[in-house]
Amino acid sequence: MDFKPRPGQKEVLEYRGGQLAVPAVPGAGKTTVLAHLAAELIASELNNDQKILIVTYMNSAVANFRKRIGDFLAEKGLPRSRGYSVKTLHSLALGIIKEKPEARLINQDFKLIESARRYRWIKDLCRKWAGENSSLLQQFFNLEKNSYHFDKYLKKWKEEDFPQFVASMISYFKLKLLEGEELKNMLRYSNLKSANILTPAAEVFAEYEFRMAQEGLLDFDDLVQQSLKMLKEDTDFAERIASQYAYVFEDEAQDSNQAQEEMLYFLAGENNNLVRVGDSNQAITGTFTLSDPEIFRSYCKREDVRVETMDVSSRSSQDIIDLANFLVDWSQEEFSEREVEPLELKYIQPTSADDPAPNPEPEGYRIGTRAFKNWKTEKKFIARQALRKARENNKETTAVLMPTGWQLEAIAREINALGGEFQLAGSSSKDDFLTELEVILKFLTSPASADNLKLLFVEIFGREKPELIQLLEDILEKKENQELIFPLSGLNRDNFEPEFRNKEGFEEFFKILMQIQGWLEASMELPPDELVLFLAERIELTGKKLALAQNLALEFGRLLKENPAWRLDQLTAELPEIRNKIKQFAETLTEMEGFEAKPDQVTLSTLHKAKGMEWDTVFIGSMTSSHFQHDNDDYFMGEKFYLNEEIKNPKASAKAELEYVLNEKKEKNVDFKARQETIAERVRLLYVGITRACQNLFLSTHQKVDNWDKEPAFVFTSLEKFIRENKKQNREEK
């Protein structure tokens, strides 16, 4: 493997012990450098009974690290799997718990609750709490009871927003290593006013913990909480676990939280051989996880921590690097008098002239902007131009990055309308992973429905064969489904008029009817879980699709054990719930396989999911003030306008109330602080989006969605001015 270290990388590779922080800009090659360092330490520093532990946060990163380290070890003539262990944080925590299950009264057979089931439980408990505390719940409302919208938003609060708030707070309580009954007692004797928003979350939390204990279940938050408690409470146990690892590496350290950091220090042991690599300018998960970019920033500032910056990147052209660096300068100036620092003063540097992997050098200035009159025009333009780039067939990749999933769906529909293809990069906006099986099962549960039979033909047999669809429509004008598939005289060619038999595609049409008849017979003879596997084999599913079908069969089997008398129609009625679990399995498979962009298709991704990826051409759309806020009076999607002013951001208010209960620290301007943190994270999100582009970049916004007026984001206007000036300078130089 040809690897020539760059400035910054060289210094990291010289590490042999102690605490090291490695701030790394986008495209700096952190995975390659960490893998190379691990191989060097394994070859020269490790005892046979010790390992290097690499902790990361994505399954795809686990597979990538294993391959890279294995390649470097093989070059040295060493076994590919020697001396290291790569784990996600949760798999690491699970391993620690299994080392000593009796410490937390957990048996070896404990199970993890699926996230979909966890949320259903929380919704049930919230519904119960709301029923018992209806008047208190309404005290939080800022709408008059006779308001036209009162009932609508009360229902939304009870059934959607309140359970989501509680689910988030339960994770936060566990991060703080709190227990439900303990927290309830603390609140009972606190000085909080009676109508505080923290108490409902704490009471539901206590009920949730009780229910989990009854069922012998843990959730993913429990893994970190329980393992950290074990390490804290048993010094000998902590030393035994830490003794397995000579060095601990943390990838994506900007996404750490308090509990994760504590665990890493326990595992690093007395020698504190801890290497943390990250980029606080790419910390974009704080609004929906418990990560805190200040943790890595603080680590970098500690006197006992050596800092080596990797700031050279070969990913993007000089013009795109200049734009990203301008955004850094702009954020420093724009937010100098606020309480937040969105982007640290850290610039991306291009490679040197003799670098074996130089920066791209496209012809001309390849960054553009446009403000559209409305969203409809913007989405059509982006879809058309992205598809045009993909169809150039020059082996270059193209992506459309949007703030939300529903916008991706709109872009996807436009691409489909243009006859193009797209692929999804980690987005859940197109859940097509069970399409074929769901269509077949829908038909088998209601075979008399002509619509179900038509859907079956379209999705399974006739996507590129319109003559088959036409034959079906023609025959259904004369025959019912049952007469067509199960005629009294038996299914044979003589059931059809000679004129119909002579039509194009009849033979294939007849074979399909025979196949469907076989599926119907199988549905009456086979148990539903076996039927799924039978169908998967008959439609020749392979790879990921086959794995998902097998997962569906297991889910059907589980439900049949709980409900032995259920029929196929009762099981298929559960598909909406099952899909959530299968979706998680599908996403895990995708992560483990890794994502590879196809040059002939447009990649669609949310900006959040795009981190860690890159494309030759990137379109970033919908840069409005409601997605990239700047001022305190912009629209903030996380706030609930129908709640009282002091709790319209219930999560921020509850966290502030908890801080007062735990530390008697009263937070002022809770809502303002939460808004500033959101504003800062959106700047970082845009920085991530810009730095995904290698050669071509297009930024756009719009002024109207349907009848709603929209303001272009303030940051869009600033970037547009910079781009316009640089484009003019580029023309003048030419």
Side-chain angles (χ1 to χ4, degrees), residues 366-590:
R366 309 296 298 171
I367 306 176
T369 63
R370 187 164 170 182
F372 293 89
K373 288 184 178 180
N374 54 56
W375 162 239
K376 183 178 179 181
T377 309
E378 182 185 16
K379 69 180 180 180
K380 285 181 178 294
F381 179 89
I382 290 175
R384 188 169 60 250
Q385 293 302 316
L387 190 56
R388 180 184 64 80
K389 288 296 295 181
R391 284 172 169 170
E392 286 179 357
N393 196 26
N394 55 9
K395 297 184 179 181
E396 293 182 358
T397 54
T398 304
V400 174
L401 311 181
M402 303 298 291
T404 67
W406 72 263
Q407 292 166 323
L408 289 182
E409 291 177 354
I411 299 287
R413 287 192 294 270
E414 295 294 334
I415 291 174
N416 279 336
L418 293 166
E421 292 188 56
F422 63 89
Q423 59 180 155
L424 296 168
S427 168
S428 60
S429 63
K430 185 187 178 191
D431 299 330
D432 63 350
F433 41 80
L434 286 177
T435 300
E436 297 100 327
L437 284 175
E438 284 184 292
V439 167
I440 298 172
L441 291 171
K442 184 176 183 181
F443 168 76
L444 294 178
T445 54
S446 301
S449 166
D451 288 339
N452 285 352
L453 182 60
K454 288 178 183 177
L455 183 64
L456 183 68
F457 261 76
V458 170
E459 291 293 337
I460 308 299
F461 305 110
R463 280 185 176 273
E464 298 177 6
K465 296 180 180 179
E467 68 275 10
L468 294 176
I469 309 302
Q470 189 60 53
L471 284 172
L472 179 66
E473 290 179 351
D474 291 346
I475 200 68
L476 286 177
E477 291 179 3
K478 302 176 182 179
K479 297 176 183 283
E480 299 290 334
N481 282 18
Q482 184 174 344
E483 187 184 359
L484 178 62
I485 299 170
F486 277 108
L488 292 175
S489 59
L491 182 59
N492 59 70
R493 290 171 177 80
D494 293 336
N495 299 128
F496 302 93
E497 298 289 337
E499 182 183 353
F500 188 84
R501 294 201 302 266
N502 290 331
K503 288 187 177 183
E504 179 188 358
F506 172 76
E507 283 302 319
E508 186 174 359
F509 177 79
F510 183 76
K511 288 178 182 177
I512 290 170
L513 293 180
M514 295 283 288
Q515 187 172 0
I516 292 173
Q517 187 185 75
W519 294 351
L520 278 165
E521 290 172 345
S523 70
M524 292 181 277
E525 296 173 4
L526 295 175
D529 51 343
E530 293 182 26
L531 175 65
V532 169
L533 298 177
F534 168 84
L535 293 171
E537 180 184 346
R538 291 303 184 271
I539 60 176
E540 299 180 348
L541 295 184
T542 59
K544 181 178 175 181
K545 289 265 187 180
L546 179 58
L548 294 171
Q550 292 165 342
N551 201 261
L552 177 61
L554 289 172
E555 286 300 306
F556 274 11
R558 178 181 63 81
L559 287 171
L560 284 169
K561 281 184 179 179
E562 297 172 2
N563 310 276
W566 274 17
R567 303 183 307 273
L568 180 61
D569 58 338
Q570 292 167 301
L571 286 166
T572 53
E574 295 292 310
L575 273 174
E577 294 291 343
I578 294 173
R579 283 175 66 82
N580 290 327
K581 186 184 290 189
I582 303 265
K583 175 182 169 183
Q584 292 172 6
F585 181 67
E587 290 175 349
T588 300
L589 283 178
T590 300

Side-chain angles (χ1 to χ4, degrees), residues 589-638:
L589 283 178
T590 300
E591 285 182 5
M592 293 177 71
E593 291 171 354
F595 176 79
E596 186 173 345
K598 298 177 182 178
D600 60 340
Q601 294 184 13
V602 178
T603 302
L604 302 181
S605 175
T606 60
L607 283 157
H608 280 100
K609 292 287 186 180
K611 191 169 79 166
M613 303 182 195
E614 62 181 56
W615 296 270
D616 295 292
T617 299
V618 169
F619 294 82
I620 302 176
S622 196
M623 290 183 59
T624 65
S625 60
S626 58
H627 292 300
F628 298 92
Q629 298 86 352
H630 179 266
D631 297 315
N632 202 47
D633 55 358
D634 283 336
Y635 171 69
F636 288 78
M637 288 177 284

Side-chain angles (χ1 to χ4, degrees), residues 320-382:
I320 292 172
I321 288 175
D322 290 343
L323 183 67
N325 289 341
F326 167 76
L327 184 59
V328 170
D329 283 331
W330 175 85
S331 75
Q332 287 278 320
E333 182 179 343
E334 192 65 32
F335 294 87
S336 60
E337 296 182 3
R338 301 200 201 180
E339 297 178 6
V340 294
E341 182 185 33
L343 296 171
E344 288 186 308
L345 195 58
K346 185 169 57 184
Y347 300 122
I348 303 172
Q349 303 294 336
T351 60
S352 60
D354 62 344
D355 195 287
N359 298 84
E361 294 183 358
E363 185 177 344
Y365 193 77
R366 309 296 298 171
I367 306 176
T369 63
R370 187 164 170 182
F372 293 89
K373 288 184 178 180
N374 54 56
W375 162 239
K376 183 178 179 181
T377 309
E378 182 185 16
K379 69 180 180 180
K380 285 181 178 294
F381 179 89
I382 290 175

Side-chain angles (χ1 to χ4, degrees), residues 122-187:
I122 291 173
K123 284 191 75 170
D124 289 343
L125 293 170
C126 286
R127 194 178 298 116
K128 178 186 173 187
W129 189 94
E132 295 170 352
N133 300 272
S134 182
S135 59
L136 178 58
L137 203 63
Q138 290 187 29
Q139 285 185 41
F140 300 133
F141 259 59
N142 192 30
L143 295 177
E144 295 294 332
K145 198 161 187 177
N146 58 0
S147 164
Y148 172 70
H149 292 298
F150 183 87
D151 289 339
K152 173 185 174 181
Y153 285 106
L154 181 60
K155 182 179 179 183
K156 187 177 187 301
W157 172 237
K158 285 182 177 180
E159 297 182 5
E160 297 178 32
D161 296 339
F162 180 57
Q164 288 173 8
F165 154 69
V166 171
S168 175
M169 289 308 300
I170 286 175
S171 293
Y172 189 69
F173 296 149
K174 291 185 177 185
L175 172 68
K176 295 290 186 181
L177 303 184
L178 295 169
E179 295 180 359
E181 288 300 325
E182 169 195 22
L183 181 57
K184 275 177 63 178
N185 288 329
M186 292 169 66
L187 290 174

